[in-house]
Amino acid sequence: MTHSFNRLIGLAALGITIVTATPAMGSAPISPAWESTDCSTFGLNALQSAMSDCGYVTVPERHSQPDGPTIQVAVVRTRSIGDNPAPDPLFVENGGPGSTTIKTFAVDVLTIWPVLPALLQERDLVFVDQRGTGHSRPFFNCPERTDHNIAVARDEIAPTDTQWMVACRDRSLAEGINPNAFNTIENAADIYAVAEALGYDEFNYYGVSYGTLLGQYMLEQAEEHTAQLRSAILDGVVTTNIDFNLAATYTFSGALRNLFAACAADAQCNQTYPNLETVFLSVLDRLEQTPAPLTLSIPDTKEPLETTLDRNEFLLFFEAHMASSLNASALPQNIYQAAEGDFSWAVTALSEKLQDTEATGMYHAVLCSRVDSVAVDPSTVFPAPYEQLIAIGESESASYQSFCELLQVEREPFFAYDNLEIPVLVLNGGYDPVTPQRYGETVARNFQNAYVYTFPGVGHGSMVAPPGTPAATCVEAIALDFLADPTQIPESSCLSEVTPRFEYE
């Protein structure tokens, strides 16, 4: 069994509503590009709907051809709950590429994570499902990959089988989807178009994961649009010049080493989970020799599926598991459970990954369009990885390259930085297996006013560190301070209180 995980992981959150403030009233957008819709169609509850404007902004399929075909991007604008909000909103964008922003942030995170309500006290929040994702039209997905994943789990086809890619491409083309329209240049222009359609003269930007790459393109485009970009927050930063799929061997190895070192430095963790690195590597070696039997559940039908978990499959799963800060404190415990042959803690997530709900077509089109900018070999940047991890980077990179050969999308020009004076806040997580601290620091060096902060024990996306933790409180304070005046270094003394946490039975 092999599950293919998109390397950049869309953030997710589940919980109950805690937003209770009275919403400020405001007028709906009047731009001819705006088409209103009931917020409940995007999954917002009654309170969120009352304080939000929901709809679609019509944009050119290719912004260089304003009179050509059009597409629609789904938008939620949630009005500030403060008494005197700033005129410049914060646009919030998810990663993937291919993950939904509206479902993740407007529906899930806003209702349970204190950081977004805190930001909402100061200014409007705007959530855009990037073209091809979520509620945007068209939805450039590949449901064919779900059948592929299930067939692989049943050992009916090889993981490298590309029939699902061919089927997805052929169906998408037959439906009128133009793969050449899905790239980061167009995505960035869409955000500016939405800001202008909503009537904002100036705005701020927050992006996580692929959203940070999108943010870098928005910074590059800043002089090309009417609306002005005031500042950018890049959280879990993607570099513009490295194949992050191929680099996963190195970035994941680095995050694991940070975890092992943090546990060894904590007396209780080291006593409860000694020799964590050795134990983890022994799990990998055993799974390579004897894959573990598992019973998963097919998401749609709940039908049981008997399969096995080998070394590379476990690594692909554990990378995604480690990326979520919600799992951070339990990671040593999970490794010891795996060493005892207990993978029950992984079954739910592995079952969910059988179903492909992301905009997988968009994911591949975006990556394939950028190949001319990907010029740095990760082996020249990072220390040597764990040998057991080498295959996962190579296999994930080969998979997306196979789809590139089928799509044959137009290539973007080589990316070059511009508008370097716009203030940038860079956030890194010490346990981030996908976008490590080194990426954030490298990107920050391109800007004149960049502030870089790393949060120990946090995974992929520092802004969504677990609520109630020192990391969550600290990142909220830094973000609010930065947005209040992006030209000044944010107060960051709270970082001294942020340390890795561990769970014990």
Side-chain angles (χ1 to χ4, degrees), residues 121-138:
Q121 287 280 352
E122 307 294 333
R123 50 186 31 87
D124 295 348
L125 298 181
V126 181
F127 311 93
V128 181
D129 271 346
Q130 297 152 30
R131 57 171 58 199
T133 74
H135 296 282
S136 292
R137 303 165 175 166

Side-chain angles (χ1 to χ4, degrees), residues 33 68 113 143 284 341-342 391 394 428:
W113 248 260
L284 301 186
D342 177 9
E394 293 175 344
N428 310 300

